[in-house]
Amino acid sequence: MTNPTADLDADTKPRRRPRRSAEQNRAEILKAATAEFATHGFAGARIDRIVKKAGSNPRMIYEQFGSKSALYVATLESALGALRTEELTLDLMHLDPLEGLLKLFDFMNGHFERNGHLVSLLRAENMLKARHIRKSARIREMSSPVLTMTKRLLARGVAEGRLAADIDPLRLYVLIAALSQFHLANTHTLSSEFEADLSAPEWRAARRADARKMLAAYLEKT
Amino acid sequence: MTNPTADLDADTKPRRRPRRSAEQNRAEILKAATAEFATHGFAGARIDRIVKKAGSNPRMIYEQFGSKSALYVATLESALGALRTEELTLDLMHLDPLEGLLKLFDFMNGHFERNGHLVSLLRAENMLKARHIRKSARIREMSSPVLTMTKRLLARGVAEGRLAADIDPLRLYVLIAALSQFHLANTHTLSSEFEADLSAPEWRAARRADARKMLAAYLEKT
Amino acid sequence: MTNPTADLDADTKPRRRPRRSAEQNRAEILKAATAEFATHGFAGARIDRIVKKAGSNPRMIYEQFGSKSALYVATLESALGALRTEELTLDLMHLDPLEGLLKLFDFMNGHFERNGHLVSLLRAENMLKARHIRKSARIREMSSPVLTMTKRLLARGVAEGRLAADIDPLRLYVLIAALSQFHLANTHTLSSEFEADLSAPEWRAARRADARKMLAAYLEKT
Amino acid sequence: MTNPTADLDADTKPRRRPRRSAEQNRAEILKAATAEFATHGFAGARIDRIVKKAGSNPRMIYEQFGSKSALYVATLESALGALRTEELTLDLMHLDPLEGLLKLFDFMNGHFERNGHLVSLLRAENMLKARHIRKSARIREMSSPVLTMTKRLLARGVAEGRLAADIDPLRLYVLIAALSQFHLANTHTLSSEFEADLSAPEWRAARRADARKMLAAYLEKT
DNA sequence: AATGAATGAGAGTTCATTCAT
DNA sequence: CATGAATGAACTCTCATTCAT
């Protein structure tokens, strides 16, 4: 007998499930949907699987979000919102410019490694030509503070004569993003091609160190 | 016989298109499928659209390829095969090691910029956890010669005392790939986020020059 | 005073609407449901819309009526009940037979023109093969007094030699009903077909006069 | 040879169903849909039932018609088209005006009695406020020739001094339609209310005779 | 007494795939 | 060899109804 107190327990009646608040339900659905869209993309995602994973039912999704598309946008908003929130806690401006930019890389690399679903959602969104990101007012409002940080650190570094001049902030940002994300977005094909496990922590750590060196070598005035 | 002149007048029935060879049909379907899978991913791709674009009919696809999955694999094989074929024409070994590695970057960057559908197919395949690449014998056989090239150039450069030691060839390859592909795979989200057109030729040229500098700075012994 | 504390703490909990009696609630729901069933029929009617229109909530409907079907039957009972009630106030027996039958037509025509939802509910009920009317004890009990009135007026008119003999009361009743209702039940298709507005008061008045003439011509002994 | 009896009994293999032409299929679907929409109205009609009745499958409906709405419109177009086609074969103009108008009534009464589904479709369409009839170009183009016939017969009858003057053709048409259709559209509620079978052929014949008399009495100059 | 979130069966519609011609 | 009509399972979304508060 696995649970001898079952008889005493008030839950002998088969209740469908304990009632949760609308908020809780919304959160559960969003979580399940994030995993589903990250794993299968928009077209491959299945409402039924989300429902099951969230312990909810199809009607609730449509009550709370309105449509599969809207739910997908909500996962994007949520994942990008979390990134923006963390970005705002970065305190790089008091640092040495080179150190600041390397910390920025560390942050981005770390955030994406910790949040694989964000990488996957961005992949899915690029497959859809960023259609939804472009339409979401909430996402457009949450513009990243990182480009500005990059700009300021670069300017200070150049002014202090310690960083190479003529580096465009946006292009630098894209290079940093490339060094932070590419290996994550392409883990599977690369691991397969080279018969190595690129998701292993050691591999990632070594690669991060290399990328950091590459970035430093580029930035430092020579 | 209802129509005794049928033999004399073969075209009374309106045929929509001139009869093509099986080879031609296969090629048309593959081309249409490549575009479709690149644009919509595996789950989002529609057999009907491929049929229409190829001017063919559903039965032909199943005759020639067997299933949607098999057709998808064929597009991957075809696009990766073209890459491998071009790679084999690379003649880097007679070059100076640094120059050779930079040429390798130029090649990769160029190939991916010219073959956007390959970038998209790799994105789709990563979404599917490289399931098909791993299963395709043909793809596993076509292993890239590039890692070996990288290894040799690196070794020679180190031996000649001109390149930094302690650089792992595979990790270097992944860094080069990152600098070659990331901006292409993420054009849409980046363009949207920064309200810039990252697909513009000028933007791409400037970014490539930056990436090249970054790579050179990293490789050169300091 | 029903609630001595009402003055002290009437509104701590934010109630959206003043509390209504069960009776009031029932009446509001019935009104909203009548409109909904008349507009959309049984299958097309939506509980949610009724709830919203009535300013109530779904549970109340099931508390008060039991089911969508039962609510639908209640609207039928209510609308037919109103008709029967008005019929009982008709005082035709002291009139000249022809005049009495014309007054009966006037009444029916008027009642249906004033109560469009009754016409619509009868349409909906015929679509359902009168399934509910047949099952409702209340409706079967409220048998119309009109057929009896028709019978008596006809009999007197024939006896007095002023109305045509051999007119069957039920068939006469159906003819009168046709002249009273058809143009209302078919306003939309007829208006569309003939590009005229058959719901305009003038059109209705002219048609009523014609129908009255037709009825009189038929009834009068020739 | 795997099956030596194949030649003798071609149907031993469980074939899903003999292949029909697209035309035939379309016709089967339309027939089944007409019955379904007539019986249940638009909202109450079920695609699955139509599919089953037509021995077809859901995809075919959407291939051939596009949507439930479009299929519904097609049934309306078909049923009204049949009416218009029969109307065009009416040859009333050589008749005596009164006789012509009575023949017109006979035709309408007969057509509706023979085509109960048309009555039901018109009922369904009025429930939807003639939304679809108004939008269908095909239906608007098939305007009825009957109003013109009515107009001409009336005019001739008045000119010859044999029919009552001051009768509006459109209103006359609506009265004739009422006498032709009302008892059919309301058979169920009337039968239930009066505990009589208004669908019995004898009842219908008697009623038709009455309606004819009523019409004649109205038209004849007195 | 009153609420509205939650339910899951079932709606219309689309899909990859196959069959008869 | 080539066609495209036919298939039915599975998809997204909606509904009348009930439960926990």
Side-chain angles (χ1 to χ4, degrees):
Chain A
M1 194 153 44
T2 54
N3 182 359
T5 66
D7 292 344
L8 305 173
D9 196 315
D11 276 328
T12 40
K13 280 192 254 174
R15 263 187 217 150
R16 279 183 278 194
R17 83 180 356 268
R19 169 154 301 220
R20 294 181 302 202
S21 73
E23 279 300 306
Q24 279 176 314
N25 247 307
R26 210 191 128 90
E28 284 295 327
I29 292 170
L30 198 58
K31 197 174 137 195
T34 299
E36 178 73 10
F37 286 123
T39 307
H40 300 282
F42 179 74
R46 292 293 169 258
I47 292 283
D48 274 5
R49 281 198 295 250
I50 296 173
V51 163
K52 210 173 169 183
K53 244 180 278 184
S56 185
N57 71 76
R59 190 71 216 277
M60 281 310 296
I61 289 187
Y62 291 87
E63 183 75 25
Q64 291 282 345
F65 295 93
S67 71
K68 187 186 180 185
S69 282
L71 176 55
Y72 168 76
V73 170
T75 64
L76 271 176
E77 288 172 348
S78 164
L80 283 173
L83 172 60
R84 299 299 179 238
T85 301
E86 281 202 38
E87 284 175 348
L88 290 170
T89 68
L90 280 173
D91 184 19
L92 307 174
M93 288 310 145
H94 68 285
L95 297 174
D96 169 83
L98 177 60
E99 204 186 333
L101 289 166
L102 291 174
K103 275 255 177 288
L104 180 59
F105 164 75
D106 290 341
F107 166 74
M108 284 181 58
N109 196 90
H111 187 88
F112 285 117
E113 289 196 350
R114 287 190 307 276
N115 297 281
H117 61 263
L118 176 54
V119 175
S120 297
L121 288 176
L122 288 172
R123 176 167 52 208
E125 184 59 4
N126 273 291
M127 187 171 281
L128 298 173
K129 308 201 175 175
R131 188 187 310 158
H132 299 93
I133 278 189
R134 226 177 282 133
K135 280 185 191 163
S136 163
R138 281 192 53 195
I139 290 176
R140 274 186 281 110
E141 282 163 16
M142 315 186 287
S143 66
S144 172
V146 171
L147 186 58
T148 306
M149 293 180 195
T150 306
K151 211 174 289 183
R152 287 197 198 153
L153 288 166
L154 259 183
R156 185 144 57 83
V158 171
E160 292 174 3
R162 302 176 58 187
L163 295 187
D166 295 333
I167 296 183
D168 176 69
L170 177 53
R171 292 203 302 269
L172 175 60
Y173 176 90
V174 173
L175 290 172
I176 293 174
L179 297 176
S180 303
Q181 279 189 67
F182 177 79
H183 66 294
L184 298 169
N186 295 274
T187 300
H188 297 108
T189 52
L190 292 169
S191 294
S192 171
E193 182 177 355
F194 299 112
E195 293 175 9
D197 180 8
L198 272 65
S199 65
E202 314 83 50
W203 204 95
R204 287 188 172 179
R207 196 216 60 93
R208 179 171 62 249
D210 289 356
R212 215 174 190 276
K213 270 189 211 162
M214 184 179 256
L215 182 59
Y218 174 62
L219 289 170
E220 283 182 307
K221 193 167 189 177
T222 45
Chain B
M1 190 143 55
T2 54
N3 182 1
T5 67
D7 291 344
L8 303 174
D9 187 2
D11 274 325
T12 38
K13 283 192 243 171
R15 252 184 227 150
R16 280 206 244 171
R17 56 174 28 263
R19 181 168 294 230
R20 293 183 304 202
S21 73
E23 274 304 302
Q24 280 176 313
N25 256 318
R26 208 189 132 88
E28 283 295 327
I29 291 170
L30 198 58
K31 196 174 139 196
T34 299
E36 179 72 11
F37 285 122
T39 308
H40 300 282
F42 179 73
R46 295 291 169 260
I47 293 282
D48 277 3
R49 280 198 294 251
I50 295 173
V51 163
K52 206 175 167 186
K53 235 181 285 183
S56 184
N57 70 76
R59 187 70 187 115
M60 282 304 298
I61 289 186
Y62 289 87
E63 185 76 22
Q64 293 281 344
F65 297 93
S67 72
K68 186 187 182 184
S69 283
L71 175 57
Y72 168 75
V73 171
T75 64
L76 269 176
E77 288 171 348
S78 163
L80 282 174
L83 173 60
R84 297 303 177 235
T85 301
E86 280 204 37
E87 283 174 349
L88 290 171
T89 68
L90 279 174
D91 184 18
L92 306 174
M93 287 312 144
H94 68 285
L95 296 174
D96 168 83
L98 176 60
E99 204 185 331
L101 289 166
L102 291 175
K103 277 257 178 282
L104 180 58
F105 163 76
D106 289 342
F107 167 74
M108 285 182 57
N109 196 89
H111 187 88
F112 284 117
E113 289 196 350
R114 286 190 307 278
N115 297 283
H117 61 263
L118 175 55
V119 175
S120 298
L121 287 176
L122 288 171
R123 175 167 54 208
E125 184 58 6
N126 273 289
M127 188 172 278
L128 297 173
K129 307 200 175 174
R131 186 186 312 156
H132 301 93
I133 277 189
R134 225 178 283 133
K135 282 183 191 164
S136 163
R138 281 193 53 197
I139 290 176
R140 273 187 282 109
E141 282 162 16
M142 312 185 288
S143 67
S144 173
V146 171
L147 186 57
T148 306
M149 293 180 197
T150 307
K151 211 174 290 183
R152 288 196 197 152
L153 287 167
L154 258 183
R156 184 144 57 83
V158 171
E160 293 174 4
R162 301 176 58 188
L163 295 187
D166 296 332
I167 296 182
D168 176 70
L170 177 53
R171 293 205 300 270
L172 175 60
Y173 177 88
V174 173
L175 289 173
I176 293 174
L179 297 176
S180 303
Q181 278 190 68
F182 176 80
H183 67 294
L184 298 170
N186 295 274
T187 300
H188 296 109
T189 52
L190 292 170
S191 293
S192 171
E193 182 176 355
F194 299 113
E195 293 175 10
D197 180 8
L198 271 66
S199 64
E202 313 83 52
W203 203 96
R204 287 187 172 179
R207 195 215 61 92
R208 180 173 60 247
D210 289 355
R212 217 173 188 276
K213 271 190 210 163
M214 183 178 257
L215 182 59
Y218 174 62
L219 289 170
E220 285 181 307
K221 191 167 191 178
T222 46
Chain C
M1 196 154 40
T2 55
N3 180 359
T5 68
D7 292 343
L8 301 174
D9 189 2
D11 272 323
T12 36
K13 281 192 242 173
R15 253 181 228 154
R16 279 204 245 175
R17 55 173 27 262
R19 181 167 293 230
R20 294 183 303 202
S21 72
E23 275 304 304
Q24 279 177 313
N25 257 318
R26 209 190 131 87
E28 284 293 327
I29 291 170
L30 198 59
K31 195 175 140 196
T34 299
E36 180 73 10
F37 285 122
T39 307
H40 300 284
F42 179 73
R46 294 290 169 259
I47 293 282
D48 277 3
R49 281 198 294 251
I50 296 172
V51 163
K52 207 174 167 186
K53 235 182 285 184
S56 185
N57 69 76
R59 186 71 187 116
M60 283 304 298
I61 289 185
Y62 290 87
E63 186 76 23
Q64 293 281 344
F65 297 92
S67 71
K68 186 186 181 184
S69 283
L71 175 56
Y72 169 76
V73 171
T75 64
L76 270 177
E77 287 172 348
S78 164
L80 282 173
L83 172 61
R84 298 303 177 234
T85 302
E86 281 202 38
E87 284 175 349
L88 290 171
T89 67
L90 279 174
D91 183 19
L92 308 174
M93 288 312 143
H94 68 285
L95 296 174
D96 167 84
L98 176 61
E99 203 185 333
L101 287 167
L102 291 174
K103 275 258 179 283
L104 179 58
F105 163 76
D106 289 340
F107 166 74
M108 284 182 59
N109 197 88
H111 186 87
F112 284 117
E113 290 197 349
R114 286 190 308 277
N115 297 281
H117 61 263
L118 175 56
V119 175
S120 298
L121 287 175
L122 287 172
R123 175 166 55 206
E125 185 58 5
N126 272 291
M127 188 171 280
L128 298 172
K129 308 199 175 174
R131 184 187 314 158
H132 300 93
I133 278 188
R134 226 177 283 133
K135 282 184 191 163
S136 164
R138 281 193 53 197
I139 290 176
R140 272 186 284 110
E141 282 163 15
M142 309 184 289
S143 67
S144 173
V146 172
L147 185 57
T148 307
M149 293 181 197
T150 306
K151 211 175 292 185
R152 288 196 196 151
L153 288 167
L154 259 183
R156 183 145 55 85
V158 172
E160 293 175 4
R162 302 179 56 191
L163 295 187
D166 295 332
I167 295 182
D168 176 70
L170 177 53
R171 293 205 301 270
L172 175 60
Y173 176 87
V174 172
L175 289 173
I176 293 175
L179 298 177
S180 303
Q181 279 189 67
F182 177 80
H183 66 295
L184 298 169
N186 296 274
T187 300
H188 296 108
T189 51
L190 292 170
S191 294
S192 171
E193 182 176 356
F194 298 112
E195 293 175 10
D197 180 8
L198 272 65
S199 64
E202 313 83 51
W203 203 95
R204 287 188 172 178
R207 196 215 60 92
R208 179 172 59 246
D210 288 355
R212 215 174 190 276
K213 271 189 210 164
M214 183 178 258
L215 182 59
Y218 175 62
L219 289 170
E220 285 181 305
K221 193 169 189 177
T222 45
Chain D
M1 195 151 44
T2 54
N3 182 359
T5 67
D7 293 344
L8 302 174
D9 186 1
D11 275 327
T12 40
K13 280 191 251 174
R15 264 188 218 149
R16 279 185 275 194
R17 76 177 6 264
R19 168 149 302 215
R20 294 181 302 201
S21 73
E23 278 301 305
Q24 280 176 313
N25 246 307
R26 210 190 129 89
E28 283 295 326
I29 291 170
L30 198 58
K31 197 174 137 195
T34 299
E36 179 72 11
F37 285 122
T39 308
H40 301 282
F42 180 75
R46 293 292 169 260
I47 293 283
D48 275 4
R49 280 198 295 249
I50 295 172
V51 163
K52 211 172 168 184
K53 245 180 278 183
S56 185
N57 70 76
R59 191 69 216 277
M60 280 310 298
I61 290 187
Y62 290 88
E63 183 74 26
Q64 292 281 346
F65 297 93
S67 71
K68 187 185 181 186
S69 282
L71 176 56
Y72 168 75
V73 171
T75 64
L76 271 176
E77 288 172 349
S78 164
L80 283 173
L83 172 60
R84 297 302 178 236
T85 301
E86 281 203 36
E87 284 175 349
L88 290 171
T89 67
L90 280 174
D91 184 19
L92 307 174
M93 289 310 144
H94 67 285
L95 296 174
D96 168 84
L98 177 60
E99 202 186 332
L101 288 167
L102 291 174
K103 275 257 178 283
L104 180 58
F105 163 76
D106 289 341
F107 166 75
M108 284 182 59
N109 196 90
H111 187 89
F112 285 116
E113 289 197 348
R114 286 189 309 277
N115 297 281
H117 60 263
L118 175 56
V119 175
S120 297
L121 288 175
L122 288 172
R123 174 166 55 206
E125 184 59 4
N126 273 290
M127 187 171 280
L128 297 173
K129 307 200 176 175
R131 188 186 310 158
H132 300 93
I133 278 189
R134 227 177 281 133
K135 280 184 190 162
S136 163
R138 280 193 53 195
I139 290 177
R140 272 185 282 110
E141 281 163 17
M142 317 184 284
S143 66
S144 173
V146 171
L147 185 57
T148 306
M149 294 181 196
T150 306
K151 210 175 290 183
R152 289 198 197 150
L153 287 167
L154 260 182
R156 184 145 57 85
V158 171
E160 293 175 2
R162 303 176 57 189
L163 295 187
D166 296 331
I167 295 183
D168 177 70
L170 176 54
R171 292 204 302 268
L172 175 60
Y173 177 89
V174 173
L175 289 173
I176 294 174
L179 297 177
S180 303
Q181 278 189 67
F182 177 81
H183 66 294
L184 298 169
N186 296 272
T187 300
H188 296 109
T189 52
L190 292 170
S191 294
S192 171
E193 183 177 355
F194 299 112
E195 293 174 10
D197 180 8
L198 272 66
S199 64
E202 314 82 51
W203 204 95
R204 286 188 174 180
R207 195 215 60 92
R208 178 171 61 248
D210 288 355
R212 216 173 189 278
K213 270 190 211 163
M214 182 178 259
L215 182 60
Y218 174 63
L219 288 170
E220 283 181 307
K221 194 167 188 177
T222 45

